[in-house]
Amino acid sequence: MKYTFDLVGVSPVLQFFNHQQQNLTKPQHEGVEYLGTHICTLDAFLESIETVPAKWDWNLDQVVDTVIQFWLNNSESINYWKRRLTDAGRDNLLVARVADFTALQAEFESLLGEN
């Protein structure tokens, strides 16, 4: 299985918490997770994904490698989001998405009404 990781935005903590709670009560695309952290570091995101592979039966080593590869190849994006997080203040989180490709495609298709 192939995975993808991307930084998607900055969110107030409470809004992110509410989003995560809503995802627990409604059907969601299996294999798509949104993660939030107060700091923009590789270590923070690696720590936040530790429980996700067990939930979706993912290969942890491949997920970790995907996050590391993103970090090595996207310094401009990382620096951009690090600045946005700093600008937003301490009551905010940097949000990232980790997903398997098939699930992410299904999520995008559902957003476009193609399912």
Side-chain angles (χ1 to χ4, degrees), residues 9 14 24 44 57 59 75 85 92 111 114:
L14 189 55
L24 292 174
D57 196 29
N59 180 313
S75 62
L85 181 62
N92 292 278
L111 291 172
E114 295 181 12

Side-chain angles (χ1 to χ4, degrees), residues 88-111:
R90 66 180 190 169
D91 293 331
N92 292 278
L93 299 170
L94 180 58
V95 179
R97 178 186 55 234
V98 62
D100 72 64
F101 278 112
T102 304
L104 187 59
Q105 180 180 0
E107 182 173 277
F108 287 155
E109 287 173 354
S110 74
L111 291 172

Side-chain angles (χ1 to χ4, degrees), residues 55-111:
K55 180 178 179 183
W56 301 119
D57 196 29
W58 286 350
N59 180 313
L60 178 59
D61 291 338
Q62 288 180 349
V63 174
V64 167
D65 185 58
T66 299
V67 175
I68 291 170
Q69 289 305 312
F70 176 88
W71 223 259
L72 292 174
N73 297 316
N74 294 281
S75 62
E76 287 182 31
S77 176
I78 293 163
N79 288 329
Y80 172 84
W81 287 113
K82 185 179 248 181
R83 288 190 305 272
R84 297 295 71 79
L85 181 62
T86 300
D87 293 345
R90 66 180 190 169
D91 293 331
N92 292 278
L93 299 170
L94 180 58
V95 179
R97 178 186 55 234
V98 62
D100 72 64
F101 278 112
T102 304
L104 187 59
Q105 180 180 0
E107 182 173 277
F108 287 155
E109 287 173 354
S110 74
L111 291 172

